[in-house]
Amino acid sequence: MPHKPNNRLAGQTAVITGGDSGLGRAISLAFAKEGANVVINYAHNEKAAHEVEQLITDGGGKALVVQADVSQEAAVESLFQQAVDAFGTVDVLVANSGLQQDSPFENMTLAQWQKVIDVNLTGQFLCTRAAIREFLRRGLRPDVSAALGKIICMSSVHEVIPWGGHANYASSKGGVELLMKSIAQEFGKRKIRINSIAPGAIKTPINTAAWDTPEAEKKLLTLIPYDRVGEPEDIGAVAAWLASDEADYIHGTTIFVDGGMTLYPGFGDNG
């Protein structure tokens, strides 16, 4: 049975980048259940974005679909302007957009390196900067939120776990960690609350090959002490709570949602 909404985000507007699929879809739906207006950003799949919008509006919520490539400055500025035009302001950013372009390191092209850094790291810079500018412009609304604004950066267990064959991806997520912590340090006194969520293995389109057969899933489970592969809803639930006032004293940290992957289970029997 689905959980009843707590309306912990009532009266607030959230921009969810990559909100059309995978983690972003689950986060968009979780925020809508908590009463937020949801701006569903997508890069390419307009149909999927409108399907998420329909689910939200069918449930009585409000949503807006906006196309934007988060690696492009003008597109990000337009995304936030459209959000403000529609809903008056932005209260929460979930910087979720990300991609992989995997390659053995010696064969990795500059284009493969640059594309992943552009979307996964530069995209987070552009989106978090736009969000902070809007929070500062708008000012505190204590009747709506204890914080001036909330930012959730989508990271990965690979901000701490090295990942051969994925150097561009792991580098981008390592960068996200210190981007998040640096701006959290800088803007804490301004009442802007900034954190990351680091998913482990979650059943999303980005990693289908790792879990879509019994053999693949069994191999993957050797990395997960809790012995199940995560679902997108696991991330959605944490993100919605982290954006709420219930989490108001959580600032500048990464919440790992990984079934214990960062416990390095290979060492569980003494290595």
Side-chain angles (χ1 to χ4, degrees):
M1 179 177 289
H3 295 292
K4 291 183 178 179
N6 292 314
N7 288 319
R8 291 176 291 195
L9 300 173
Q12 300 185 49
T13 296
V15 171
I16 317 292
T17 67
D20 56 310
S21 68
L23 300 182
R25 180 181 189 276
I27 293 165
S28 295
L29 296 175
F31 271 63
K33 281 186 177 181
E34 294 294 345
N37 307 315
V38 181
V39 180
I40 306 157
N41 158 254
Y42 74 96
H44 306 295
N45 195 340
E46 182 178 8
K47 180 174 181 287
H50 282 292
E51 287 171 356
V52 178
E53 178 190 31
Q54 190 69 52
L55 288 170
I56 291 172
T57 56
D58 285 350
K62 294 180 180 178
L64 173 71
V65 171
V66 180
Q67 193 280 333
D69 176 348
V70 298
S71 71
Q72 301 300 310
E73 185 174 28
V76 171
E77 296 301 314
S78 175
L79 165 62
F80 276 80
Q81 189 59 57
Q82 289 180 66
V84 171
D85 290 346
F87 296 116
T89 189
V90 172
D91 301 275
V92 186
L93 164 68
V94 183
N96 168 72
S97 291
L99 53 78
Q100 290 176 218
Q101 291 198 355
D102 308 331
S103 171
F105 189 71
E106 72 274 20
N107 298 328
M108 186 175 289
T109 65
L110 179 58
Q112 288 173 317
W113 171 268
Q114 198 68 61
K115 180 67 173 179
V116 172
I117 297 297
D118 284 351
V119 173
N120 295 11
L121 185 54
T122 303
Q124 295 222 10
F125 158 69
L126 291 171
C127 290
T128 54
R129 187 185 65 175
I132 288 169
R133 287 173 172 173
E134 171 56 21
F135 302 156
L136 295 172
R137 180 200 71 80
R138 184 235 308 136
L140 192 65
R141 296 192 298 162
D143 57 320
V144 173
S145 173
L148 180 65
K150 285 78 62 95
I151 292 173
I152 299 172
C153 298
M154 195 56 61
S155 188
S156 165
V157 292
H158 296 294
E159 73 170 48
V160 295
I161 299 176
W163 201 14
H166 310 260
N168 47 4
Y169 183 85
S171 296
S172 73
K173 296 303 184 178
V176 166
E177 179 192 17
L178 277 176
L179 170 65
M180 178 276 289
K181 289 186 174 183
S182 296
I183 58 178
Q185 182 190 68
E186 185 172 350
F187 288 98
K189 289 188 183 302
R190 307 293 291 273
K191 298 283 284 183
I192 298 174
R193 197 160 59 78
I194 306 168
N195 295 286
S196 291
I197 294 174
I202 311 291
K203 292 184 176 181
T204 65
I206 200 173
N207 64 0
T208 303
W211 51 264
D212 68 344
T213 67
E215 296 77 20
E217 186 166 359
K218 183 178 179 181
K219 181 180 179 183
L220 182 57
L221 288 174
T222 65
L223 303 176
I224 307 170
Y226 199 58
D227 205 36
R228 77 169 172 89
V229 182
E231 300 288 347
E233 291 74 18
D234 292 316
I235 306 301
V238 173
W241 171 77
L242 186 56
S244 77
D245 279 357
E246 291 180 12
D248 186 58
Y249 204 50
I250 300 176
H251 178 63
T253 196
T254 299
I255 296 179
F256 288 86
V257 187
D258 66 351
M261 184 177 280
T262 48
L263 299 174
Y264 296 93
F267 287 86
D269 59 359
N270 230 6

